[in-house]
Amino acid sequence: MSTTTSARLCTPFTGMSKNFPPSKNGSSSKLIAGTETHMIKLTALHNKKQIPTTRTSTNNTNTEATFTFKLGRTTGSDVSGDLSVNSSESSDPVESDYSEKSEDEKAQQVENTHVSANSHSISSVTTTSMNNETVDGEKDESHDADDITNTEDSDRSEQDDGNDTDDEETDNESGESSSNLTEKGGRKYHLDHFQIIKTVGTGTFGRVCLCRDKVSNKYCAMKILAMTEVIRLKQIEHVKNERNILREIRHPFTISLEWSTKDESNLYMIFDYVCGGELFTYLRNAGKFSSQTSNFYAAEIVSALDYLHSLQIIYRDLKPENLLINRDGHIKITDFGFAKKLRDRTWTLCGTPEYIAPEIIQSKGHNKAVDWWALGVLIYEMLVGYPPFYDEQPFGIYEKILSGKIEWERHMDPIAKDLIKKLLVNDRTKRLGNMKNGADDVKRHRWFKNLNWNDVYNKKLMPPILPDVHHDGDTTNFDDYSEMDWKPTIAIDQKDLKLFNDF
Ligand SMILES: Nc1ncnc2c1ncn2[C@@H]1O[C@H](COP(=O)(O)OP(=O)(O)OP(=O)(O)O)[C@@H](O)[C@H]1O
């Protein structure tokens, strides 16, 4: 999901480029358009605080970049709930010498809005209703398949997923999932253990809620995905990818999946709750970040990308909306809905050559280079306040990306600019991070020269922003979402439920 909070494309905003237009009705869409396929994610938006809340990205046939368009949508679920908890809750160094100026920057804090949380118990569940039109009025014709060259991945991951049931039990015939009761780490989990407190984000298929684990008494985040919507948007494989990848990874700067399950209507993922809110909000409130601040966040992201890529995982959705700030000021990357585990490509080489379609041979496909491109966009946006390629129309954005032209601010940190230039290289074989030294080239860039990467990993760097958080379950750093639009639970039929057997 991408966030509710983060519709993007802009509302009038101080420091915003005139080319960076206001947001469209608070609606946003997230679209990944591949060569032949479209994957659309829809998001309900809240334009609270006049902060632009939508991010655009799109994947053009001729570029390795991924761009996403968020579409307006609503999500909800029927919470028959007890109000029980209240929360106010290439080795490529730059040749020239450079001493980076250290800029004093005050922590930017979200304009906290006190919200009185509606608390709900989680016994009943959810269905989402959503608008399947993009902001441009396009119909959602999303496909589940990726536009990655190795389209066999989906098939394979289906098989892999099928074996991946270590903490699941078989569903019973009524559609009620006995996997609701699963054991992990010595503990029996059950959905009833989680008490929903408040929605902190909405996404394509559902919402993310602050919960309290009644057994451990800890706060956590529960992502609830309506299976009807996952099916309708043909995102079954992506959701499975998300869950499987999240189960595989553990890194200080990525979100931790505690447990996952499903019932007859929804898929559930339980995460650690990251209470500082989205980097996006801080960036929009600040206008732009100093080089030092941007450098801090970029370094933690590089550390995480390096880790993910070492596992052959490409993330594919890097943007400030998906970067949460923890109470300690460090980053947590969330939303692995587009993440993809790259499989061995031997299949391609061992295929029957006579039958391989030209597009398979010629396709550039996706690989980890897309994440390095996105890092370049992100660093630019942090330093400048808006992304390097922008147009009101997606086509215009594609054109700008392909043109390779970037407008630079006069006073931009030259070393950061050099790194961005080396990341925003259209030819992915020449893109920093995607050459023979991999992430090391990025890490060795002079913009990061003062960093000890072990210190980065061990969270020894001083965070530039400390969120205003009063307690672990504080939700004031997130936008408000109506709790009135939870829709009645709709159980999917047995046939459809089988599609999620391995979730
Ligand atoms: N662990 C968490 N702690 C706190 N907030 C979270 C957590 N996970 C997600 N959120 C909030 O919920 C929002 C939506 O989550 P996420 O991006 O995973 O949903 P999504 O349905 O995949 O969104 P999209 O459809 O836009 O891709 C996040 O942007 C964030 O604001």
Side-chain angles (χ1 to χ4, degrees):
M1 288 187 201
S2 301
T3 109
T4 305
T5 359
S6 16
R8 202 175 220 232
L9 288 188
C10 313
T11 315
F13 193 80
T14 321
M16 199 62 75
S17 155
K18 63 181 178 346
N19 296 323
F20 200 45
S23 67
K24 301 174 184 178
N25 313 323
S27 290
S28 71
S29 71
K30 180 176 182 182
L31 159 68
I32 284 193
T35 311
E36 295 150 332
T37 62
H38 297 267
M39 179 167 75
I40 296 182
K41 284 189 161 192
L42 309 171
T43 305
L45 299 176
H46 289 245
N47 267 353
K48 201 179 83 177
K49 301 176 229 149
Q50 298 295 305
I51 298 170
T53 40
T54 310
R55 163 71 78 186
T56 312
S57 34
T58 178
N59 190 4
N60 189 298
T61 314
N62 297 318
T63 177
E64 278 74 52
T66 299
F67 311 93
T68 307
F69 289 87
K70 293 207 166 194
L71 312 185
R73 86 194 243 126
T74 39
T75 57
S77 95
D78 177 23
V79 179
S80 66
D82 322 323
L83 294 178
S84 41
V85 175
N86 286 323
S87 91
S88 58
E89 343 186 46
S90 93
S91 315
D92 199 7
V94 175
E95 298 301 328
S96 61
D97 275 346
Y98 172 75
S99 311
E100 189 177 339
K101 279 185 219 157
S102 111
E103 297 175 43
D104 284 333
E105 185 172 319
K106 288 181 184 173
Q108 303 293 328
Q109 294 181 337
V110 180
E111 188 188 320
N112 291 331
T113 305
H114 183 82
V115 270
S116 68
N118 293 321
S119 330
H120 302 284
S121 80
I122 179 73
S123 37
S124 73
V125 200
T126 319
T127 263
T128 43
S129 85
M130 46 192 262
N131 175 359
N132 71 339
E133 288 193 353
T134 69
V135 277
D136 300 311
E138 295 168 19
K139 282 285 177 193
D140 170 13
E141 295 179 353
S142 54
H143 297 268
D144 203 21
D146 273 296
D147 52 339
I148 296 185
T149 46
N150 54 337
T151 48
E152 78 281 11
D153 282 356
S154 295
D155 301 337
R156 281 203 212 177
S157 58
E158 187 84 52
Q159 285 166 4
D160 292 349
D161 291 345
N163 295 328
D164 196 10
T165 54
D166 52 322
D167 64 352
E168 311 284 342
E169 293 169 27
T170 316
D171 297 347
N172 65 27
E173 281 197 350
S174 72
E176 243 178 74
S177 173
S178 57
S179 67
N180 274 3
L181 188 63
T182 60
E183 194 167 2
K184 190 163 183 180
R187 164 158 173 206
K188 293 261 183 197
Y189 282 87
H190 193 282
L191 272 178
D192 285 346
H193 296 169
F194 298 96
Q195 177 181 42
I196 292 183
I197 297 170
K198 189 180 192 307
T199 301
V200 293
T202 61
T204 314
F205 325 105
R207 58 176 70 210
V208 175
C209 299
L210 170 69
C211 290
R212 189 193 276 277
D213 179 344
K214 292 185 271 186
V215 175
S216 67
N217 225 18
K218 278 199 204 145
Y219 288 100
C220 51
M222 178 185 281
K223 185 166 174 173
I224 306 169
L225 310 172
M227 283 183 275
T228 48
E229 294 308 306
V230 175
I231 293 169
R232 191 170 68 79
L233 293 171
K234 302 185 173 72
Q235 296 299 306
I236 300 165
E237 287 310 319
H238 286 118
V239 167
K240 288 179 184 173
N241 280 346
E242 178 176 11
R243 200 283 304 256
N244 290 338
I245 286 169
L246 283 163
R247 276 164 49 145
E248 181 181 347
I249 62 175
R250 186 152 290 268
H251 189 273
F253 307 129
T254 60
I255 199 84
S256 301
L257 178 69
E258 182 73 15
W259 180 61
S260 62
T261 190
K262 64 178 179 290
D263 59 17
E264 75 282 3
S265 309
N266 298 298
L267 307 172
Y268 302 88
M269 288 185 258
I270 304 286
F271 299 97
D272 49 335
Y273 175 60
V274 187
C275 54
E278 299 173 10
L279 185 71
F280 181 80
T281 308
Y282 295 88
L283 179 57
R284 286 293 175 267
N285 282 347
K288 53 175 134 175
F289 290 156
S290 67
S291 184
Q292 213 174 11
T293 296
S294 307
N295 185 280
F296 171 87
Y297 295 123
E300 296 200 335
I301 291 156
V302 168
S303 172
L305 289 181
D306 188 15
Y307 167 75
L308 293 172
H309 292 174
S310 74
L311 298 175
Q312 305 306 318
I313 293 166
I314 49 173
Y315 174 61
R316 301 198 297 174
D317 206 9
L318 191 59
K319 55 183 179 178
E321 298 92 317
N322 286 339
L323 303 172
L324 300 177
I325 311 262
N326 218 341
R327 191 168 188 172
D328 60 7
H330 293 276
I331 285 280
K332 285 278 184 192
I333 301 179
T334 187
D335 195 357
F336 281 72
F338 288 161
K340 179 88 178 176
K341 177 106 180 169
L342 291 177
R343 309 279 168 169
D344 184 85
R345 297 280 183 115
T346 312
W347 172 88
T348 308
L349 298 173
C350 296
T352 307
E354 290 89 340
Y355 288 83
I356 293 175
E359 64 271 21
I360 294 175
I361 297 163
Q362 291 172 334
S363 175
K364 292 176 177 172
H366 281 134
N367 69 3
K368 60 186 162 65
V370 300
D371 287 336
W372 296 119
W373 173 281
L375 177 70
V377 175
L378 177 75
I379 296 172
Y380 182 104
E381 182 164 353
M382 287 195 288
L383 290 169
V384 178
Y386 51 86
F389 310 106
Y390 183 72
D391 192 271
E392 283 195 16
Q393 299 302 324
F395 189 76
I397 297 174
Y398 308 151
E399 277 187 328
K400 285 183 178 157
I401 290 167
L402 294 175
S403 78
K405 282 189 205 137
I406 301 171
E407 279 181 28
W408 299 101
E409 278 200 335
R410 196 171 293 169
H411 302 297
M412 192 171 198
D413 176 341
I415 303 297
K417 178 176 170 181
D418 182 83
L419 174 58
I420 295 166
K421 276 184 171 174
K422 286 172 172 148
L423 292 167
L424 296 182
V425 171
N426 276 22
D427 179 351
R428 67 177 177 177
T429 65
K430 301 198 172 104
R431 190 175 306 152
L432 211 62
N434 194 42
M435 293 184 278
K436 72 173 164 47
N437 295 325
D440 282 348
D441 284 338
V442 178
K443 289 179 161 180
R444 287 201 290 254
H445 189 276
R446 287 184 69 132
W447 197 48
F448 294 124
K449 76 172 180 188
N450 295 321
L451 293 185
N452 174 323
W453 287 96
N454 283 330
D455 288 351
V456 172
Y457 178 87
N458 291 314
K459 297 187 170 180
K460 289 195 176 149
L461 305 193
M462 178 86 79
I465 297 174
L466 276 183
D468 188 14
V469 173
H470 299 107
H471 60 99
D472 286 346
D474 194 338
T475 59
T476 52
N477 289 307
F478 291 90
D479 283 349
D480 278 330
Y481 298 87
S482 169
E483 306 293 348
M484 306 303 289
D485 57 356
W486 291 70
K487 297 289 189 309
T489 300
I490 297 176
I492 62 171
D493 64 33
Q494 286 300 313
K495 191 172 116 277
D496 286 343
L497 196 57
K498 284 206 172 107
L499 297 169
F500 298 95
N501 261 353
D502 45 0
F503 186 93

